[in-house]
Amino acid sequence: MSASPDQQANRSAKQGFALGISIVAAALLFVAGLVSVFQGISAIANDDLFVVGREYVFQFDLTTWGWIHLILGVVALLIAGGLAVGADWARISAIVIASLSIIAQFLWLPYYPAWAILIIVLDLIVIWAVSTWNPNTAYNM
């Protein structure tokens, strides 16, 4: 049984929308990962750049925070590459790394609030985009 031209057009539009969401999620995760890498390098190379408060509960050495951000950023960049090519493992990995990034950025707020808030927002958008995209229903409609 063949589909009508309207059904084929509808299926094609849904496939395009699903692909668009996955590309946007990959791009946002790439940007968040890249900014995290830059944060990490900056904290490792030049501790004088950041303002350190006196009584911070989650106080680590800035070099330690730099390594945390650098590792999270590199992993996010790799997962963004997986999302861009449509790998199944990358969807769940993107949600996990974005969640870990949100936690790290929340703890990083006293050091550099503007960047931390920016990355938290990007990570939330990534989680939303990846979790709402369903390639199985998009391609089988």
Side-chain angles (χ1 to χ4, degrees), residues 90-123:
R91 293 184 67 216
I92 293 175
S93 300
I95 293 171
V96 170
I97 197 67
S99 300
L100 290 174
S101 177
I102 287 172
I103 293 167
Q105 294 300 331
F106 178 75
L107 298 175
W108 179 254
L109 270 170
Y111 295 107
Y112 214 129
W115 280 111
I117 291 170
L118 171 71
I119 300 306
I120 288 171
V121 169
L122 288 176
D123 287 334

Side-chain angles (χ1 to χ4, degrees), residues 13-95:
K14 287 180 182 178
Q15 288 176 3
F17 184 70
L19 177 64
I21 288 177
S22 68
I23 296 300
V24 167
L28 288 174
L29 188 61
F30 181 82
V31 169
L34 195 61
V35 170
S36 191
V37 166
F38 288 145
Q39 273 182 326
I41 291 171
S42 180
I44 292 168
N46 188 5
D47 289 357
D48 300 342
L49 180 67
F50 299 102
V51 176
V52 180
R54 292 188 127 174
E55 301 295 326
Y56 183 48
V57 176
F58 306 106
Q59 188 171 2
F60 285 136
D61 180 53
L62 278 176
T63 304
T64 304
W65 276 116
W67 281 108
I68 290 169
H69 286 294
L70 184 64
I71 291 167
L72 283 174
V74 168
V75 171
L77 290 173
L78 294 173
I79 293 171
L83 273 178
V85 297
D88 290 333
W89 59 266
R91 293 184 67 216
I92 293 175
S93 300
I95 293 171

